[in-house]
Amino acid sequence: MKYITTSWDDGYFLDERLADLLEKYGLQGTFYVPRSNPEYSVLPESRLQDLGRRFELGGHTMGHTSYDGGNLTDMTSEIRDCFAWVADLTGEKPVSFAPPKGYYDDQLMEVAFDT
């Protein structure tokens, strides 16, 4: 048997439509959600909770903060607070993390997976 999974970032409003399509075709997915995003609105928490009942929610920092390799202390708070927030939404601690804009290094990933 072969498995396919997909991942989606940012908690954008169209994620609900995407979730409907994934369910329709029997596909799995992980939605990496920040609590807020300065680029556009994120789904309200009640709708993220619904999404989390249907699919995995992963950490994506609190404010969609990308890592520049500099301030690991701030990023540690961003990641840990996001993991706690997602756990509050879903009742389960996230097991996955996607760094916003794809910027990461070994130190950042240690923080994410030590959370």
Side-chain angles (χ1 to χ4, degrees):
M1 177 171 275
K2 295 182 182 184
Y3 295 92
I4 295 174
T5 188
T6 62
S7 67
W8 309 91
D9 295 356
D10 302 342
Y12 190 63
F13 282 90
L14 291 176
D15 285 357
E16 292 172 306
R17 174 69 177 127
L18 179 59
D20 292 342
L21 290 169
L22 291 173
E23 277 186 334
K24 178 179 177 179
Y25 293 102
L27 297 173
Q28 297 296 310
T30 301
F31 290 82
Y32 295 99
V33 295
R35 187 171 197 172
S36 65
N37 186 332
E39 297 170 26
Y40 51 80
S41 297
V42 174
L43 285 168
E45 287 187 358
S46 62
R47 290 163 63 183
L48 287 172
Q49 284 177 316
D50 180 57
L51 187 64
R53 284 189 282 276
R54 300 162 63 193
F55 294 93
E56 176 187 1
L57 295 186
H60 199 51
T61 74
M62 289 298 282
H64 200 257
T65 305
S66 62
Y67 180 60
D68 63 6
N71 196 335
L72 192 60
T73 302
D74 288 347
M75 287 303 293
T76 299
S77 295
E78 282 278 329
I79 293 168
R80 289 187 177 156
D81 291 351
C82 183
F83 271 52
W85 171 70
V86 171
D88 285 344
L89 285 176
T90 65
E92 296 179 19
K93 181 179 173 183
V95 296
S96 56
F97 171 74
K101 303 188 187 221
Y103 300 130
Y104 69 94
D105 62 17
D106 290 344
Q107 288 181 314
L108 185 71
M109 298 320 290
E110 283 180 33
V111 167
F113 292 105
D114 188 36
T115 298

mmCIF file of all heavy atoms in Angstrom, residues 32-82:
data_model
loop_
_atom_site.group_PDB
_atom_site.id
_atom_site.type_symbol
_atom_site.label_atom_id
_atom_site.label_comp_id
_atom_site.label_asym_id
_atom_site.label_seq_id
_atom_site.Cartn_x
_atom_site.Cartn_y
_atom_site.Cartn_z
ATOM 1 N N TYR A 32 -0.158 23.702 8.745
ATOM 2 C CA TYR A 32 0.744 24.425 9.640
ATOM 3 C C TYR A 32 0.181 25.821 9.844
ATOM 4 O O TYR A 32 0.098 26.598 8.894
ATOM 5 C CB TYR A 32 2.154 24.471 9.047
ATOM 6 C CG TYR A 32 2.753 23.090 8.968
ATOM 7 C CD1 TYR A 32 2.750 22.373 7.778
ATOM 8 C CD2 TYR A 32 3.297 22.495 10.103
ATOM 9 C CE1 TYR A 32 3.292 21.096 7.716
ATOM 10 C CE2 TYR A 32 3.834 21.222 10.044
ATOM 11 C CZ TYR A 32 3.823 20.523 8.854
ATOM 12 O OH TYR A 32 4.349 19.257 8.803
ATOM 13 N N VAL A 33 -0.215 26.102 11.087
ATOM 14 C CA VAL A 33 -0.964 27.332 11.340
ATOM 15 C C VAL A 33 -0.264 28.246 12.342
ATOM 16 O O VAL A 33 0.145 27.816 13.414
ATOM 17 C CB VAL A 33 -2.387 27.018 11.831
ATOM 18 C CG1 VAL A 33 -3.186 26.324 10.732
ATOM 19 C CG2 VAL A 33 -2.392 26.162 13.075
ATOM 20 N N PRO A 34 -0.142 29.530 11.997
ATOM 21 C CA PRO A 34 0.276 30.522 12.980
ATOM 22 C C PRO A 34 -0.974 31.089 13.648
ATOM 23 O O PRO A 34 -2.081 30.972 13.118
ATOM 24 C CB PRO A 34 0.947 31.593 12.118
ATOM 25 C CG PRO A 34 0.169 31.561 10.842
ATOM 26 C CD PRO A 34 -0.230 30.117 10.651
ATOM 27 N N ARG A 35 -0.800 31.716 14.783
ATOM 28 C CA ARG A 35 -1.950 32.359 15.417
ATOM 29 C C ARG A 35 -2.332 33.633 14.668
ATOM 30 O O ARG A 35 -3.496 34.000 14.572
ATOM 31 C CB ARG A 35 -1.651 32.674 16.875
ATOM 32 C CG ARG A 35 -2.867 33.170 17.611
ATOM 33 C CD ARG A 35 -2.612 33.262 19.080
ATOM 34 N NE ARG A 35 -3.879 33.355 19.788
ATOM 35 C CZ ARG A 35 -3.991 33.289 21.075
ATOM 36 N NH1 ARG A 35 -2.925 33.118 21.813
ATOM 37 N NH2 ARG A 35 -5.161 33.389 21.635
ATOM 38 N N SER A 36 -1.325 34.315 14.125
ATOM 39 C CA SER A 36 -1.578 35.513 13.329
ATOM 40 C C SER A 36 -0.561 35.565 12.197
ATOM 41 O O SER A 36 0.459 34.883 12.235
ATOM 42 C CB SER A 36 -1.478 36.774 14.190
ATOM 43 O OG SER A 36 -0.164 36.943 14.658
ATOM 44 N N ASN A 37 -0.885 36.363 11.200
ATOM 45 C CA ASN A 37 -0.001 36.502 10.043
ATOM 46 C C ASN A 37 -0.109 37.950 9.564
ATOM 47 O O ASN A 37 -1.199 38.397 9.215
ATOM 48 C CB ASN A 37 -0.433 35.534 8.945
ATOM 49 C CG ASN A 37 0.516 35.512 7.774
ATOM 50 O OD1 ASN A 37 1.200 36.489 7.476
ATOM 51 N ND2 ASN A 37 0.560 34.392 7.083
ATOM 52 N N PRO A 38 1.005 38.685 9.543
ATOM 53 C CA PRO A 38 0.933 40.086 9.120
ATOM 54 C C PRO A 38 0.592 40.258 7.639
ATOM 55 O O PRO A 38 0.201 41.339 7.222
ATOM 56 C CB PRO A 38 2.332 40.623 9.418
ATOM 57 C CG PRO A 38 3.212 39.432 9.467
ATOM 58 C CD PRO A 38 2.358 38.289 9.915
ATOM 59 N N GLU A 39 0.686 39.190 6.869
ATOM 60 C CA GLU A 39 0.426 39.276 5.428
ATOM 61 C C GLU A 39 -1.061 39.181 5.095
ATOM 62 O O GLU A 39 -1.505 39.742 4.107
ATOM 63 C CB GLU A 39 1.202 38.188 4.701
ATOM 64 C CG GLU A 39 2.711 38.355 4.859
ATOM 65 C CD GLU A 39 3.490 37.159 4.361
ATOM 66 O OE1 GLU A 39 2.993 36.437 3.473
ATOM 67 O OE2 GLU A 39 4.599 36.947 4.875
ATOM 68 N N TYR A 40 -1.827 38.445 5.896
ATOM 69 C CA TYR A 40 -3.269 38.324 5.683
ATOM 70 C C TYR A 40 -3.922 37.663 6.886
ATOM 71 O O TYR A 40 -3.250 37.147 7.775
ATOM 72 C CB TYR A 40 -3.611 37.556 4.405
ATOM 73 C CG TYR A 40 -2.914 36.224 4.277
ATOM 74 C CD1 TYR A 40 -3.379 35.117 4.933
ATOM 75 C CD2 TYR A 40 -1.786 36.098 3.481
ATOM 76 C CE1 TYR A 40 -2.739 33.901 4.828
ATOM 77 C CE2 TYR A 40 -1.144 34.887 3.353
ATOM 78 C CZ TYR A 40 -1.625 33.795 4.028
ATOM 79 O OH TYR A 40 -0.982 32.596 3.927
ATOM 80 N N SER A 41 -5.238 37.646 6.925
ATOM 81 C CA SER A 41 -5.982 37.092 8.058
ATOM 82 C C SER A 41 -5.854 35.581 8.123
ATOM 83 O O SER A 41 -5.814 34.900 7.101
ATOM 84 C CB SER A 41 -7.462 37.454 7.938
ATOM 85 O OG SER A 41 -7.623 38.848 8.003
ATOM 86 N N VAL A 42 -5.822 35.096 9.348
ATOM 87 C CA VAL A 42 -5.791 33.660 9.623
ATOM 88 C C VAL A 42 -7.197 33.243 10.037
ATOM 89 O O VAL A 42 -7.953 34.045 10.604
ATOM 90 C CB VAL A 42 -4.778 33.377 10.763
ATOM 91 C CG1 VAL A 42 -4.805 31.928 11.194
ATOM 92 C CG2 VAL A 42 -3.369 33.777 10.331
ATOM 93 N N LEU A 43 -7.560 32.004 9.787
ATOM 94 C CA LEU A 43 -8.862 31.500 10.205
ATOM 95 C C LEU A 43 -9.080 31.740 11.698
ATOM 96 O O LEU A 43 -8.142 31.616 12.488
ATOM 97 C CB LEU A 43 -8.947 29.994 9.948
ATOM 98 C CG LEU A 43 -9.136 29.543 8.512
ATOM 99 C CD1 LEU A 43 -8.896 28.040 8.391
ATOM 100 C CD2 LEU A 43 -10.537 29.880 8.036
ATOM 101 N N PRO A 44 -10.301 32.049 12.096
ATOM 102 C CA PRO A 44 -10.591 32.189 13.526
ATOM 103 C C PRO A 44 -10.348 30.861 14.258
ATOM 104 O O PRO A 44 -10.432 29.782 13.660
ATOM 105 C CB PRO A 44 -12.083 32.541 13.560
ATOM 106 C CG PRO A 44 -12.416 33.000 12.185
ATOM 107 C CD PRO A 44 -11.469 32.315 11.258
ATOM 108 N N GLU A 45 -10.088 30.961 15.541
ATOM 109 C CA GLU A 45 -9.751 29.767 16.319
ATOM 110 C C GLU A 45 -10.822 28.685 16.246
ATOM 111 O O GLU A 45 -10.499 27.504 16.164
ATOM 112 C CB GLU A 45 -9.476 30.140 17.774
ATOM 113 C CG GLU A 45 -8.154 30.842 17.944
ATOM 114 C CD GLU A 45 -7.787 31.075 19.402
ATOM 115 O OE1 GLU A 45 -8.566 30.726 20.314
ATOM 116 O OE2 GLU A 45 -6.688 31.621 19.618
ATOM 117 N N SER A 46 -12.092 29.053 16.259
ATOM 118 C CA SER A 46 -13.155 28.042 16.209
ATOM 119 C C SER A 46 -13.081 27.238 14.905
ATOM 120 O O SER A 46 -13.314 26.027 14.907
ATOM 121 C CB SER A 46 -14.532 28.691 16.356
ATOM 122 O OG SER A 46 -14.774 29.597 15.292
ATOM 123 N N ARG A 47 -12.729 27.891 13.835
ATOM 124 C CA ARG A 47 -12.635 27.185 12.546
ATOM 125 C C ARG A 47 -11.335 26.391 12.448
ATOM 126 O O ARG A 47 -11.300 25.339 11.822
ATOM 127 C CB ARG A 47 -12.804 28.179 11.411
ATOM 128 C CG ARG A 47 -14.271 28.655 11.386
ATOM 129 C CD ARG A 47 -14.550 29.877 10.623
ATOM 130 N NE ARG A 47 -14.301 29.816 9.205
ATOM 131 C CZ ARG A 47 -14.451 30.851 8.402
ATOM 132 N NH1 ARG A 47 -14.865 32.017 8.895
ATOM 133 N NH2 ARG A 47 -14.202 30.750 7.120
ATOM 134 N N LEU A 48 -10.283 26.876 13.111
ATOM 135 C CA LEU A 48 -9.049 26.082 13.183
ATOM 136 C C LEU A 48 -9.276 24.821 14.016
ATOM 137 O O LEU A 48 -8.745 23.759 13.689
ATOM 138 C CB LEU A 48 -7.905 26.911 13.763
ATOM 139 C CG LEU A 48 -7.333 27.983 12.838
ATOM 140 C CD1 LEU A 48 -6.354 28.867 13.596
ATOM 141 C CD2 LEU A 48 -6.659 27.356 11.616
ATOM 142 N N GLN A 49 -10.086 24.943 15.081
ATOM 143 C CA GLN A 49 -10.411 23.760 15.877
ATOM 144 C C GLN A 49 -11.133 22.722 15.028
ATOM 145 O O GLN A 49 -10.838 21.527 15.105
ATOM 146 C CB GLN A 49 -11.284 24.133 17.074
ATOM 147 C CG GLN A 49 -10.516 24.787 18.185
ATOM 148 C CD GLN A 49 -11.424 25.211 19.320
ATOM 149 O OE1 GLN A 49 -12.505 25.770 19.098
ATOM 150 N NE2 GLN A 49 -10.987 24.965 20.535
ATOM 151 N N ASP A 50 -12.065 23.163 14.209
ATOM 152 C CA ASP A 50 -12.763 22.250 13.312
ATOM 153 C C ASP A 50 -11.783 21.604 12.338
ATOM 154 O O ASP A 50 -11.825 20.397 12.113
ATOM 155 C CB ASP A 50 -13.865 22.982 12.542
ATOM 156 C CG ASP A 50 -14.597 22.053 11.596
ATOM 157 O OD1 ASP A 50 -15.146 21.026 12.060
ATOM 158 O OD2 ASP A 50 -14.585 22.326 10.368
ATOM 159 N N LEU A 51 -10.899 22.401 11.787
ATOM 160 C CA LEU A 51 -9.887 21.869 10.878
ATOM 161 C C LEU A 51 -9.024 20.831 11.597
ATOM 162 O O LEU A 51 -8.698 19.782 11.039
ATOM 163 C CB LEU A 51 -9.037 23.019 10.340
ATOM 164 C CG LEU A 51 -8.035 22.698 9.241
ATOM 165 C CD1 LEU A 51 -8.735 22.218 7.976
ATOM 166 C CD2 LEU A 51 -7.199 23.938 8.939
ATOM 167 N N GLY A 52 -8.698 21.099 12.870
ATOM 168 C CA GLY A 52 -7.882 20.183 13.661
ATOM 169 C C GLY A 52 -8.594 18.887 14.010
ATOM 170 O O GLY A 52 -7.946 17.885 14.311
ATOM 171 N N ARG A 53 -9.912 18.869 13.968
ATOM 172 C CA ARG A 53 -10.650 17.616 14.172
ATOM 173 C C ARG A 53 -10.586 16.739 12.925
ATOM 174 O O ARG A 53 -10.770 15.537 12.992
ATOM 175 C CB ARG A 53 -12.105 17.911 14.531
ATOM 176 C CG ARG A 53 -12.300 18.371 15.962
ATOM 177 C CD ARG A 53 -13.769 18.440 16.361
ATOM 178 N NE ARG A 53 -14.445 19.627 15.847
ATOM 179 C CZ ARG A 53 -14.422 20.814 16.437
ATOM 180 N NH1 ARG A 53 -13.751 20.982 17.545
ATOM 181 N NH2 ARG A 53 -15.077 21.831 15.915
ATOM 182 N N ARG A 54 -10.325 17.365 11.798
ATOM 183 C CA ARG A 54 -10.324 16.647 10.520
ATOM 184 C C ARG A 54 -8.920 16.273 10.051
ATOM 185 O O ARG A 54 -8.735 15.261 9.367
ATOM 186 C CB ARG A 54 -11.005 17.512 9.470
ATOM 187 C CG ARG A 54 -12.449 17.838 9.831
ATOM 188 C CD ARG A 54 -13.012 19.007 9.063
ATOM 189 N NE ARG A 54 -13.074 18.758 7.642
ATOM 190 C CZ ARG A 54 -13.295 19.709 6.740
ATOM 191 N NH1 ARG A 54 -13.467 20.966 7.119
ATOM 192 N NH2 ARG A 54 -13.342 19.414 5.462
ATOM 193 N N PHE A 55 -7.946 17.135 10.399
ATOM 194 C CA PHE A 55 -6.580 16.963 9.918
ATOM 195 C C PHE A 55 -5.587 17.335 11.008
ATOM 196 O O PHE A 55 -5.936 18.003 11.972
ATOM 197 C CB PHE A 55 -6.333 17.852 8.685
ATOM 198 C CG PHE A 55 -7.133 17.452 7.495
ATOM 199 C CD1 PHE A 55 -8.362 18.042 7.250
ATOM 200 C CD2 PHE A 55 -6.687 16.472 6.630
ATOM 201 C CE1 PHE A 55 -9.129 17.670 6.156
ATOM 202 C CE2 PHE A 55 -7.443 16.083 5.543
ATOM 203 C CZ PHE A 55 -8.661 16.677 5.300
ATOM 204 N N GLU A 56 -4.350 16.938 10.801
ATOM 205 C CA GLU A 56 -3.288 17.307 11.720
ATOM 206 C C GLU A 56 -3.002 18.805 11.614
ATOM 207 O O GLU A 56 -2.938 19.355 10.516
ATOM 208 C CB GLU A 56 -2.012 16.527 11.374
ATOM 209 C CG GLU A 56 -0.828 16.914 12.228
ATOM 210 C CD GLU A 56 0.476 16.277 11.777
ATOM 211 O OE1 GLU A 56 0.494 15.535 10.769
ATOM 212 O OE2 GLU A 56 1.492 16.531 12.431
ATOM 213 N N LEU A 57 -2.840 19.464 12.776
ATOM 214 C CA LEU A 57 -2.359 20.840 12.805
ATOM 215 C C LEU A 57 -0.937 20.817 13.342
ATOM 216 O O LEU A 57 -0.661 20.197 14.362
ATOM 217 C CB LEU A 57 -3.217 21.730 13.712
ATOM 218 C CG LEU A 57 -4.665 21.969 13.312
ATOM 219 C CD1 LEU A 57 -5.300 22.988 14.253
ATOM 220 C CD2 LEU A 57 -4.787 22.427 11.879
ATOM 221 N N GLY A 58 -0.043 21.504 12.645
ATOM 222 C CA GLY A 58 1.348 21.587 13.065
ATOM 223 C C GLY A 58 1.714 23.009 13.440
ATOM 224 O O GLY A 58 1.032 23.961 13.076
ATOM 225 N N GLY A 59 2.806 23.136 14.172
ATOM 226 C CA GLY A 59 3.283 24.447 14.587
ATOM 227 C C GLY A 59 3.867 25.241 13.419
ATOM 228 O O GLY A 59 4.463 24.671 12.503
ATOM 229 N N HIS A 60 3.694 26.576 13.496
ATOM 230 C CA HIS A 60 4.177 27.448 12.414
ATOM 231 C C HIS A 60 4.534 28.825 12.961
ATOM 232 O O HIS A 60 4.506 29.804 12.226
ATOM 233 C CB HIS A 60 3.092 27.541 11.341
ATOM 234 C CG HIS A 60 3.550 28.007 10.005
ATOM 235 N ND1 HIS A 60 4.618 27.457 9.338
ATOM 236 C CD2 HIS A 60 3.069 28.975 9.194
ATOM 237 C CE1 HIS A 60 4.762 28.064 8.170
ATOM 238 N NE2 HIS A 60 3.835 29.002 8.064
ATOM 239 N N THR A 61 4.864 28.915 14.258
ATOM 240 C CA THR A 61 5.133 30.118 15.048
ATOM 241 C C THR A 61 3.848 30.888 15.336
ATOM 242 O O THR A 61 2.843 30.713 14.648
ATOM 243 C CB THR A 61 6.190 31.070 14.433
ATOM 244 O OG1 THR A 61 5.665 31.773 13.327
ATOM 245 C CG2 THR A 61 7.475 30.327 14.074
ATOM 246 N N MET A 62 3.917 31.736 16.337
ATOM 247 C CA MET A 62 2.738 32.509 16.728
ATOM 248 C C MET A 62 2.394 33.579 15.697
ATOM 249 O O MET A 62 1.243 33.742 15.324
ATOM 250 C CB MET A 62 2.957 33.171 18.090
ATOM 251 C CG MET A 62 2.958 32.194 19.249
ATOM 252 S SD MET A 62 1.398 31.325 19.441
ATOM 253 C CE MET A 62 0.423 32.585 20.240
ATOM 254 N N GLY A 63 3.386 34.313 15.247
ATOM 255 C CA GLY A 63 3.132 35.456 14.369
ATOM 256 C C GLY A 63 3.675 35.307 12.968
ATOM 257 O O GLY A 63 3.989 36.308 12.332
ATOM 258 N N HIS A 64 3.791 34.040 12.499
ATOM 259 C CA HIS A 64 4.343 33.769 11.171
ATOM 260 C C HIS A 64 5.718 34.426 11.009
ATOM 261 O O HIS A 64 6.053 35.028 10.001
ATOM 262 C CB HIS A 64 3.390 34.218 10.064
ATOM 263 C CG HIS A 64 3.673 33.563 8.755
ATOM 264 N ND1 HIS A 64 4.323 34.217 7.730
ATOM 265 C CD2 HIS A 64 3.410 32.320 8.312
ATOM 266 C CE1 HIS A 64 4.441 33.394 6.705
ATOM 267 N NE2 HIS A 64 3.895 32.232 7.042
ATOM 268 N N THR A 65 6.512 34.290 12.067
ATOM 269 C CA THR A 65 7.830 34.901 12.123
ATOM 270 C C THR A 65 8.853 34.002 11.454
ATOM 271 O O THR A 65 8.989 32.836 11.815
ATOM 272 C CB THR A 65 8.233 35.138 13.599
ATOM 273 O OG1 THR A 65 7.208 35.896 14.223
ATOM 274 C CG2 THR A 65 9.556 35.848 13.701
ATOM 275 N N SER A 66 9.561 34.540 10.481
ATOM 276 C CA SER A 66 10.591 33.736 9.817
ATOM 277 C C SER A 66 11.921 33.925 10.533
ATOM 278 O O SER A 66 12.185 34.953 11.162
ATOM 279 C CB SER A 66 10.698 34.085 8.338
ATOM 280 O OG SER A 66 11.082 35.422 8.173
ATOM 281 N N TYR A 67 12.754 32.928 10.446
ATOM 282 C CA TYR A 67 14.032 32.878 11.150
ATOM 283 C C TYR A 67 15.136 33.373 10.233
ATOM 284 O O TYR A 67 15.266 32.909 9.107
ATOM 285 C CB TYR A 67 14.286 31.440 11.571
ATOM 286 C CG TYR A 67 15.562 31.202 12.323
ATOM 287 C CD1 TYR A 67 15.799 31.838 13.533
ATOM 288 C CD2 TYR A 67 16.507 30.318 11.847
ATOM 289 C CE1 TYR A 67 16.952 31.600 14.243
ATOM 290 C CE2 TYR A 67 17.672 30.064 12.557
ATOM 291 C CZ TYR A 67 17.890 30.708 13.759
ATOM 292 O OH TYR A 67 19.037 30.469 14.459
ATOM 293 N N ASP A 68 15.938 34.299 10.767
ATOM 294 C CA ASP A 68 17.030 34.836 9.955
ATOM 295 C C ASP A 68 18.389 34.301 10.395
ATOM 296 O O ASP A 68 19.422 34.794 9.972
ATOM 297 C CB ASP A 68 17.026 36.364 9.992
ATOM 298 C CG ASP A 68 17.261 36.920 11.396
ATOM 299 O OD1 ASP A 68 17.534 36.128 12.333
ATOM 300 O OD2 ASP A 68 17.169 38.146 11.556
ATOM 301 N N GLY A 69 18.375 33.304 11.283
ATOM 302 C CA GLY A 69 19.621 32.750 11.776
ATOM 303 C C GLY A 69 20.193 33.533 12.937
ATOM 304 O O GLY A 69 21.250 33.205 13.454
ATOM 305 N N GLY A 70 19.482 34.563 13.384
ATOM 306 C CA GLY A 70 20.004 35.443 14.414
ATOM 307 C C GLY A 70 19.431 35.202 15.788
ATOM 308 O O GLY A 70 20.077 34.616 16.639
ATOM 309 N N ASN A 71 18.202 35.624 16.027
ATOM 310 C CA ASN A 71 17.655 35.641 17.370
ATOM 311 C C ASN A 71 16.927 34.341 17.707
ATOM 312 O O ASN A 71 15.708 34.246 17.558
ATOM 313 C CB ASN A 71 16.739 36.846 17.545
ATOM 314 C CG ASN A 71 16.473 37.120 19.005
ATOM 315 O OD1 ASN A 71 16.563 36.233 19.841
ATOM 316 N ND2 ASN A 71 16.141 38.364 19.306
ATOM 317 N N LEU A 72 17.670 33.386 18.184
ATOM 318 C CA LEU A 72 17.098 32.085 18.527
ATOM 319 C C LEU A 72 16.191 32.180 19.759
ATOM 320 O O LEU A 72 15.215 31.438 19.858
ATOM 321 C CB LEU A 72 18.210 31.066 18.759
ATOM 322 C CG LEU A 72 17.782 29.615 18.853
ATOM 323 C CD1 LEU A 72 17.086 29.171 17.573
ATOM 324 C CD2 LEU A 72 18.972 28.723 19.148
ATOM 325 N N THR A 73 16.465 33.113 20.650
ATOM 326 C CA THR A 73 15.637 33.272 21.854
ATOM 327 C C THR A 73 14.214 33.656 21.485
ATOM 328 O O THR A 73 13.249 33.060 21.981
ATOM 329 C CB THR A 73 16.244 34.327 22.801
ATOM 330 O OG1 THR A 73 17.564 33.913 23.143
ATOM 331 C CG2 THR A 73 15.401 34.484 24.055
ATOM 332 N N ASP A 74 14.048 34.647 20.613
ATOM 333 C CA ASP A 74 12.706 35.041 20.179
ATOM 334 C C ASP A 74 12.008 33.901 19.447
ATOM 335 O O ASP A 74 10.810 33.675 19.635
ATOM 336 C CB ASP A 74 12.761 36.275 19.274
ATOM 337 C CG ASP A 74 13.092 37.550 20.045
ATOM 338 O OD1 ASP A 74 13.048 37.532 21.292
ATOM 339 O OD2 ASP A 74 13.420 38.555 19.384
ATOM 340 N N MET A 75 12.736 33.201 18.613
ATOM 341 C CA MET A 75 12.136 32.101 17.863
ATOM 342 C C MET A 75 11.725 30.961 18.791
ATOM 343 O O MET A 75 10.716 30.305 18.552
ATOM 344 C CB MET A 75 13.091 31.594 16.784
ATOM 345 C CG MET A 75 13.241 32.537 15.616
ATOM 346 S SD MET A 75 11.673 32.964 14.790
ATOM 347 C CE MET A 75 11.221 31.390 14.079
ATOM 348 N N THR A 76 12.490 30.745 19.846
ATOM 349 C CA THR A 76 12.124 29.713 20.817
ATOM 350 C C THR A 76 10.756 30.020 21.412
ATOM 351 O O THR A 76 9.895 29.137 21.492
ATOM 352 C CB THR A 76 13.198 29.605 21.920
ATOM 353 O OG1 THR A 76 14.448 29.233 21.320
ATOM 354 C CG2 THR A 76 12.819 28.572 22.969
ATOM 355 N N SER A 77 10.534 31.270 21.799
ATOM 356 C CA SER A 77 9.224 31.666 22.327
ATOM 357 C C SER A 77 8.139 31.518 21.270
ATOM 358 O O SER A 77 7.041 31.031 21.564
ATOM 359 C CB SER A 77 9.263 33.116 22.824
ATOM 360 O OG SER A 77 10.121 33.240 23.912
ATOM 361 N N GLU A 78 8.423 31.953 20.054
ATOM 362 C CA GLU A 78 7.444 31.849 18.962
ATOM 363 C C GLU A 78 7.005 30.394 18.754
ATOM 364 O O GLU A 78 5.827 30.114 18.572
ATOM 365 C CB GLU A 78 8.049 32.379 17.659
ATOM 366 C CG GLU A 78 8.086 33.872 17.549
ATOM 367 C CD GLU A 78 6.761 34.450 17.093
ATOM 368 O OE1 GLU A 78 6.014 33.802 16.338
ATOM 369 O OE2 GLU A 78 6.476 35.586 17.493
ATOM 370 N N ILE A 79 7.958 29.486 18.771
ATOM 371 C CA ILE A 79 7.661 28.065 18.525
ATOM 372 C C ILE A 79 6.951 27.443 19.720
ATOM 373 O O ILE A 79 5.907 26.804 19.566
ATOM 374 C CB ILE A 79 8.954 27.297 18.187
ATOM 375 C CG1 ILE A 79 9.515 27.780 16.845
ATOM 376 C CG2 ILE A 79 8.692 25.789 18.164
ATOM 377 C CD1 ILE A 79 10.933 27.313 16.556
ATOM 378 N N ARG A 80 7.491 27.633 20.903
ATOM 379 C CA ARG A 80 6.905 27.007 22.099
ATOM 380 C C ARG A 80 5.498 27.534 22.370
ATOM 381 O O ARG A 80 4.604 26.765 22.699
ATOM 382 C CB ARG A 80 7.810 27.208 23.300
ATOM 383 C CG ARG A 80 9.065 26.370 23.181
ATOM 384 C CD ARG A 80 9.910 26.394 24.406
ATOM 385 N NE ARG A 80 11.043 25.489 24.202
ATOM 386 C CZ ARG A 80 12.183 25.586 24.827
ATOM 387 N NH1 ARG A 80 12.372 26.536 25.723
ATOM 388 N NH2 ARG A 80 13.148 24.725 24.570
ATOM 389 N N ASP A 81 5.317 28.837 22.216
ATOM 390 C CA ASP A 81 3.978 29.403 22.421
ATOM 391 C C ASP A 81 3.000 28.874 21.378
ATOM 392 O O ASP A 81 1.833 28.608 21.682
ATOM 393 C CB ASP A 81 4.019 30.927 22.389
ATOM 394 C CG ASP A 81 4.745 31.526 23.589
ATOM 395 O OD1 ASP A 81 5.086 30.782 24.543
ATOM 396 O OD2 ASP A 81 4.994 32.749 23.563
ATOM 397 N N CYS A 82 3.467 28.713 20.155
ATOM 398 C CA CYS A 82 2.600 28.181 19.095
ATOM 399 C C CYS A 82 2.220 26.728 19.388
ATOM 400 O O CYS A 82 1.060 26.348 19.230
ATOM 401 C CB CYS A 82 3.288 28.298 17.738
ATOM 402 S SG CYS A 82 2.244 27.745 16.374
#
